[in-house]
Amino acid sequence: MTETALQRHRPRKGSLVLPKSDVVPASLAAPMTGLPRFLILCFVAALVLVPLLATALGGFKELGELRTNPFGLPRVWQWENYWGILASARYWRILGNSLFISAVTVALTLAVAAPAAFAFAHLRFFGQRFLFNYFILGLTFPFATAILPLFIKVRDLGLLDTHWGIILPQVAFSQALSILLMRNAFRQLPSELLDAALVDGCGYARFFLWITLPLSRPILATVAVITFVVSWNNFLLPLVVINTNAKYPWTLGLMDYQGEFIVAWQLILAFITLTILPAVLMFVLAQRYIVSGLTAGAVKG
Amino acid sequence: MLVKALSGLALAFAIGLSSAQAADVTVRMLHVNETGDPFWKKIAEDYNATHKGVKVTVDYMENEAYKAKLPTLLQSDDRPDIIYSWAGGVMKAQIEAGYIQDISAHKAEFDQVIYPAPLSAYEVDGKLYGVSVQLSEVLLIYNKAMLAKAGIDPAAMKTWDGFLDVLKKTKGAGVTPLIMGGADKWPMHFFYSYLLMRLGGADVLTTAETTEGGFKAQPFVDAGAKLKELAALEPFQEGWLGTKYLPSQGQFGDGKGAMALQLNGFIQGQQKNATDGKGIPNDQIGQAPFPEVPGGKGKITDTLGGVQGFLVTKDAPPEAIDFLKYFVSAEAQKASAEAGVYVPATKGTDAFIKNPLVAEVARAISNSTWHQNFLDQDLGPSVGRVVNDVSVAIAAGDMTPEEGAQQIQDAWDQR
Amino acid sequence: MADTTASPPGKASYVHSGGLTALIFLPPALTLFTVFVILPIGEAGWYGFYNWNGLAALENFVGLQNYQQLLANKTFHQAFINNLLIIAVSLAVQLPLALSMAVLLADRLVGSVAFRMMFFLPYILADVAAGLIWRFMFDGDYGPISQIWQALGGDPLYILADRDWAYAAVLTVIVWKYFGFHMMLYIAGLQNIDRNLYEAAAIDGASPWQRFRHITLPGLSPMIKLSVFFSLLGSLQFFDMIVSLTGGGPLNSSHTMVSFLYYFGIGRMRVGFGSAVGVLLFILCATVAFGYKRLLMRDDHD
C-alpha cells in the first residue's frame, strides 16, 4: 500500500477510516443547494423515519385506535403496554442472552483471529499461502448455505439449545473477514519495529501482545463492531439451535412474542420498539465508530 | 480430536449438572392449546402442591411454531418430558426415530380412565406411547345472527349444493360467508379433507396408502375439484391468504364473517381473540356438520377431528408418567369439561359438560361412524404439509385438482 | 519458544520465518474454522446425495435425485427469480437512490451528518425486526398504509395477502433498509476524489452534469463495484426478513433460496434435500465471489 494508506491507518484518537477531510468542493454537490435540497432530504427522511415512529407510537395506543389513528399521537397514552414489557423478566432475559452471546463472540473472535492474522502478516511458514486462501474460502459463502450440516454438527457435539452452540459457529464464520482485516492492518505497522524487536531478543509472542495489539486498536475496534452487530442481529443460527424460551436471544424472543400475542398489534409494536432500542441507542451514542466500522470492514474486505 | 474433547467436556458438564439437581425432579409439559392453558397450568399447580419433590411446569407454544420447532426440539437434550401430539403419522415418525418412551407398562391403568378408541390412537404395534386427552371435531361454526340477517336457514346446509347456495346467498346479502386463516394453510385443508371423506368413504386413505399411485385415485381429484368450485364463489374474507389462524378467530369474533369450518375449540378462541375481548357469545353460535356430497361413499355422520393428547419423551422421569395419570383423571379434567374448553377423552367427564355446544360435539364424536384424524398429521410430516399446500393452492386458483393429487402422491412416494 | 531469527540488517522485511510461533497462533482459528465452516459445507455436499430426515441412520443413497427434484421444483424457481429480483431492484432503485443521497450529503453542509445518520439507521436494525415493523405497516386491518389507502377512498389493502404484490412489498423494505449503507460507501468514495479535478473542470467550463459524468462516476467506480458486489452476496443470503414479513407466502410467492432451504429443508426435516439447496447456494456464492473479483476488481486489489 502507498504512503497515504499508511498515514490513514496510523491510529489517531477518535478517527477510524473516514479520511481526514470531510469537506468536498461545493462544485461536487449537486446543482441543488439550499431549499430544494433540504426539501428532498426531508422527504426521504420522512419515508425512513415514519415506520419507526409509527411503531413506537403505536405501542402507546389501544388496538382499536391503530385502525383509526395510524400516525398521530395517541388519544390516551397507554403506558401500561410499555411498562408491562419493561417489568417482565422475559424482556431483560432476551436482551441479556443476546449481550452474553455477542460479547463472548467478540472476545473469542478477537482472541482467536488476532494471533492467526499476526502469523499470516509476519511469519513465513510451510503452507502459509494455502492456509490463508483456505480462510478466504470462508468469505465466499454465508452460513445459511451450510446450516443443515451445521445444525447436525452442533447437535452431535451436544451443543444444541446452548449459547455456545451459537457462539462457536459465529466465531468460526467471522474468522475469514477478521483475519483478512487484521492481517492487512498489522502489515501497515512499520516493519522496522519488528526487526528491531527481534534483534533485541524479543519473541514474537511478546511483540504481538505488547506492540502489535496496542497499536492496532482501530482495527480491533472495527472487527469488534462488525462482529458484535452481526451477532446481535443474528436470527437464522439461533432459530435452528435454540429451543428453550429462556435461552432465546432478542431476535428469537421478538418473533416468539409476536407469535404469542399475534392479535394484539399494540403490544407487539411496543415490544419491537423496546427490543430495537438498545441498537438505536448504541448507534446514537457511537455513530462514527459504528458507521466507520461497518463501512471500513466492507471496503477493506 | 477436538470433537472428542468437546464431547467429553460436555458429558462431564452434564453429569456435574445432573448430580447437582438431586433436589426437585422437574417435569416439563409443552402444548398448543391456548384456551386450555390456564386449566392445565392449574392441574400442574394442584399436582405440585400434593407431590413434594416434583415440579411440573406447563408451557404453551403457538400451533404452527410448535409444529415447526418440534423436530429440532426433540433432538435437543433439553427436550420437554411431555409433548402435545395429534397422533397419526407424525407420531409414528417420532416413535421410529426413537424419541418417545414406551409406556405400555401403564396401559391397564390408562384403560380404566380413557375411552378405548382415543387411547388406541396412541398405540403403535401394540405398544402404548401416550394418552389421549382431548377430542375435537371440525364442523361448520356459524354466527346465528349473521345468517339470519342474510335470510338463511342453517338446515339448508345439509347437502353440498345447498351449502354452495347458502354461500351465494350470504354473499349476495353483503355478508362475508366464510372466515379462513389461509396463511397457516391447515384451516383450508379441513375443506379438502372433509370433501375427500364424503366422496371416498371410510377406507379412502387406507386404500390410497396401500395402492400404487393410490393418492391419484378419483376421490382425491374430485375433492380438489369441489374445493375449486367452492373457492370460485369467493366466499372468504378479504386478505384470507395472509390471515393466520389466531387473527382469523379474532375476525370471526369481530363479526367479519358468518361461518368458519373449524375445530370446536375455535368458539372459545374467537371470544378470546376478538378486538373487544368478548367475541360472539355461545348462545349466538350454531354448529352444523359438514354437508353430504351426493354420490359419495361417506356419511354425514363421519367426523373429521383430532384425538389430541400427549406423548412421553425418551429419558423423561417416571414422575412424568405419574403426573399424566393425574392429568387424565376425571377429577383433574372436571374444570375443563365444565368450562367447555374442549371435549375430554376421559371416561365420565361428559356428565360435567355444561356448554351445550360442547355437549353436542361430544355426542357427535361418540356417535361417529368414522372419526378421521387430521390429514396433515395422519399422513406424516412431509406428506401432511403438502396436503396443506395443495389445499391452499387449489383454493387460490394456483393449481388444478389433478396437479394437487399428483403432488400428494409424489410426497408420499418420496417420504 | 519462538524462533528469533532476524533478517540481515539493512533489509527491512516484514516476513520472518516462524514456524513454531505459527503452530501456537494458528490452531485455534484453524480448528474452529474447520469444524464449523469447512466441514459442514463438505458434509452438505455429502448429505445432498441422500434422502435423510436427520434422525434415522444415513443410509438412503439417492444420487442426484435431490438435485433433480430441486431443479424441477416450481417454488424453488420462484425463489431463484426472487433472488434475482433483489439484485435487479438493488441496481435499478437502490443504487440511484443511494447515489443521489450521497451526492447531496457528501459535503459538510448544515445537517448533512444528521441526515446521513438518519438514513443509515435502518441498516443497523436486525432484518427480522425491520420485517416485523413493515408487517405492521402493510397489515390490511391495522396498518397505516391500508389506512392511507382507505382515506383515499379505497377498500382495505391486503398487500401481503396478494400473491402478485407481496414480494413487491418485500423489495420496498429492502430498499428502505439498505440504501443508507450504500450511501455511506458512496460518500466515502466521493470524498476521495481529488478536488483539483473539479476545479480544473470548472475552469474549463464543464457543466455540473458533465463534471458528474466524467469525474464523479469514474471516480466512484470502485465503490460502485463494491456496492454491487455486496448487493449480490447479500441477496443470496436473504432470509430473516422473509420470515417476519411474509413467511414465504402467500402461496410460496415470496421465498428466497435461503428461506426455501429453511421451510422446505429444515422445516420438513429433509436434510438431504436441504443440503442440496445449500450446495447450490454455495456454488452460486463462490462463483459470484471469485468471478466478480476476477472480472471487475482486478485493478483495485493489492
Side-chain angles (χ1 to χ4, degrees), chain A residues 95-280:
Chain A
L95 285 181
N97 288 338
S98 284
L99 188 60
F100 174 74
I101 294 172
S102 301
V104 175
T105 302
V106 168
L108 210 51
T109 299
L110 289 176
V112 165
F118 181 81
F120 285 121
H122 293 297
L123 306 178
R124 195 170 11 102
F125 49 90
F126 177 72
Q128 179 190 31
R129 243 196 111 69
F130 166 73
L131 281 176
F132 187 68
N133 286 328
Y134 179 69
F135 277 106
I136 296 301
L137 253 186
L139 281 177
T140 59
F141 64 93
F143 67 86
T145 54
I147 192 71
L148 264 169
L150 187 58
F151 163 74
I152 298 208
K153 186 155 297 304
V154 169
R155 178 192 73 187
D156 291 344
L157 287 174
L159 294 175
L160 208 58
D161 214 20
T162 65
H163 288 156
W164 287 100
I166 302 179
I167 294 172
L168 292 179
Q170 279 183 171
V171 172
F173 269 91
S174 59
Q175 289 305 297
L177 184 61
S178 309
I179 291 179
L180 180 63
L181 289 179
M182 289 196 272
R183 181 196 80 145
N184 290 354
F186 291 166
R187 281 203 175 161
Q188 299 313 310
L189 299 178
S191 52
E192 302 83 50
L193 277 179
L194 182 57
D195 293 337
L198 291 173
V199 163
D200 283 347
C202 167
Y204 284 114
R206 257 195 281 164
F207 181 80
F208 170 66
L209 283 175
W210 297 113
I211 306 199
T212 313
L213 285 184
L215 282 182
S216 303
R217 274 201 274 259
I219 195 66
L220 294 180
T222 302
V223 170
V225 164
I226 298 175
T227 311
F228 190 85
V229 172
V230 168
S231 170
W232 184 261
N233 289 342
N234 203 341
F235 179 63
L236 175 57
L237 185 61
L239 183 64
V240 165
V241 169
I242 303 281
N243 291 306
T244 326
N245 295 33
K247 300 194 185 146
Y248 281 170
W250 77 270
T251 45
L252 291 191
L254 175 62
M255 291 308 287
D256 184 43
Y257 190 86
Q258 186 247 5
E260 196 178 320
F261 291 94
I262 191 168
V263 285
W265 264 121
Q266 80 283 20
L267 293 178
I268 299 177
L269 293 178
F271 201 82
I272 298 175
T273 311
L274 286 174
T275 46
I276 62 175
L277 206 53
V280 175

Side-chain angles (χ1 to χ4, degrees), chain B residues 143 192 265:
Chain B
N143 182 327
Y192 184 79

Side-chain angles (χ1 to χ4, degrees), chain B residues 130-327:
Chain B
V131 293
S132 167
V133 165
Q134 74 182 85
L135 304 167
S136 55
E137 188 197 348
V138 175
L139 11 71
L140 277 172
I141 297 171
Y142 60 86
N143 182 327
K144 286 188 192 162
M146 288 180 85
L147 279 190
K149 186 171 117 178
I152 310 277
D153 175 11
M157 298 196 293
K158 283 224 162 68
T159 64
W160 178 248
D161 293 314
F163 180 62
L164 291 184
D165 271 339
V166 165
L167 294 179
K168 285 184 212 149
K169 242 180 118 183
T170 315
K171 192 157 181 196
V175 174
T176 303
L178 289 167
I179 293 286
M180 164 59 58
D184 282 337
K185 298 186 186 168
W186 55 263
M188 186 61 85
H189 105 293
F190 286 164
F191 278 98
Y192 184 79
S193 305
Y194 255 128
L195 284 167
L196 186 64
M197 287 166 68
R198 294 288 189 255
L199 286 165
D203 52 8
V204 69
L205 280 178
T206 39
T207 313
E209 288 173 19
T210 49
T211 319
E212 178 83 29
F215 284 90
K216 291 193 285 187
Q218 202 54 41
F220 287 88
V221 180
D222 285 343
K226 293 249 179 283
L227 176 58
K228 194 166 164 187
E229 194 184 9
L230 177 136
L233 298 177
E234 295 192 359
F236 307 114
Q237 83 278 18
E238 267 292 324
W240 65 270
L241 259 180
T243 309
K244 290 171 78 82
Y245 173 61
L246 292 176
S248 77
Q249 285 180 343
Q251 286 181 334
F252 186 88
D254 288 347
K256 289 252 183 87
M259 299 186 276
L261 181 66
Q262 266 295 345
L263 302 160
N264 50 292
F266 186 89
I267 301 175
Q268 282 83 26
Q270 57 91 14
Q271 288 164 350
K272 179 174 186 291
N273 290 321
T275 307
D276 63 359
K278 302 211 202 82
I280 314 290
N282 287 347
D283 55 2
Q284 285 186 30
I285 303 247
Q287 294 174 154
F290 191 80
E292 233 169 5
V293 178
K297 294 202 242 159
K299 305 196 191 74
I300 200 165
T301 45
D302 294 336
T303 50
L304 174 71
V307 190
Q308 287 119 298
F310 288 100
L311 299 172
V312 182
T313 56
K314 175 174 92 151
D315 299 335
E319 283 82 356
I321 305 179
D322 198 55
F323 172 65
L324 261 189
K325 288 185 190 160
Y326 175 70
F327 191 88

Side-chain angles (χ1 to χ4, degrees), chain C:
Chain C
M1 200 194 70
D3 182 11
T4 53
T5 312
S7 40
K11 179 179 175 208
S13 78
Y14 57 71
V15 176
H16 307 257
S17 65
L20 218 57
T21 313
L23 269 181
I24 302 171
F25 278 17
L26 274 180
L30 215 49
T31 324
L32 273 175
F33 185 74
T34 305
V35 169
F36 289 106
V37 178
I38 300 298
L39 279 186
I41 197 67
E43 284 160 355
W46 180 239
Y47 296 154
F49 295 124
Y50 286 82
N51 182 353
W52 188 37
N53 68 359
L55 299 175
L58 182 66
E59 56 196 9
N60 191 358
F61 185 81
V62 293
L64 290 175
Q65 192 192 74
N66 285 328
Y67 291 95
Q68 282 170 333
Q69 279 175 30
L70 187 59
L71 292 173
N73 187 308
K74 279 205 306 187
T75 307
F76 185 71
H77 295 165
Q78 184 63 50
F80 182 72
I81 293 176
N82 286 346
N83 276 104
L84 289 179
L85 280 174
I86 299 181
I87 299 172
V89 162
S90 301
L91 293 176
V93 176
Q94 191 177 280
L95 196 157
L97 176 62
L99 194 53
S100 22
M101 290 303 112
V103 164
L104 289 181
L105 293 174
D107 43 356
R108 259 257 161 102
L109 299 185
V110 169
S112 276
V113 175
F115 277 112
R116 281 186 223 166
M117 293 307 152
M118 264 190 268
F119 296 166
F120 194 78
L121 181 60
Y123 180 70
I124 59 138
L125 302 176
D127 265 6
V128 70
L132 206 52
I133 290 174
W134 282 91
R135 174 84 187 69
F136 163 67
M137 293 292 289
F138 285 121
D139 190 77
D141 293 316
Y142 295 102
I145 295 183
S146 179
Q147 307 297 328
I148 297 179
W149 188 257
Q150 288 174 65
L152 292 176
D155 288 326
L157 196 60
Y158 293 89
I159 302 177
L160 296 176
D162 188 324
R163 185 197 327 144
D164 302 314
W165 287 98
Y167 198 64
V170 174
L171 293 171
T172 313
V173 182
I174 293 179
V175 172
W176 175 84
K177 190 164 187 302
Y178 288 98
F179 88 92
F181 172 73
H182 293 269
M183 175 196 74
M184 290 308 279
L185 287 182
Y186 298 150
I187 290 181
L190 284 172
Q191 291 171 339
N192 282 332
I193 297 180
D194 189 353
R195 62 186 346 193
N196 297 319
L197 291 174
Y198 285 107
E199 289 172 358
I203 292 172
D204 283 348
S207 72
W209 173 245
Q210 282 175 317
R211 276 177 275 160
F212 183 76
R213 256 196 72 199
H214 296 286
I215 303 176
T216 311
L217 275 187
L220 268 184
S221 147
M223 233 8 136
I224 294 182
K225 288 186 207 158
L226 187 67
S227 164
V228 172
F229 180 66
F230 277 113
S231 295
L232 282 176
L233 275 188
S235 110
L236 286 171
Q237 316 178 17
F238 208 68
F239 168 75
D240 304 8
M241 202 188 286
I242 300 291
V243 172
S244 57
L245 189 54
T246 62
L251 295 174
N252 296 324
S253 63
S254 66
H255 276 296
T256 56
M257 288 192 281
V258 180
S259 77
F260 179 83
L261 197 169
Y262 178 73
Y263 283 104
F264 291 82
I266 301 184
R268 304 187 182 188
M269 281 321 275
R270 299 187 61 197
V271 177
F273 185 71
S275 297
V277 181
V279 168
L280 254 138
L281 260 178
F282 172 73
I283 294 176
L284 282 170
C285 287
T287 312
V288 166
F290 286 123
Y292 200 82
K293 290 216 161 182
R294 270 270 177 101
L295 285 177
L296 293 172
M297 290 166 65
R298 247 175 318 201
D299 25 273
D300 306 331
H301 251 252
D302 58 338

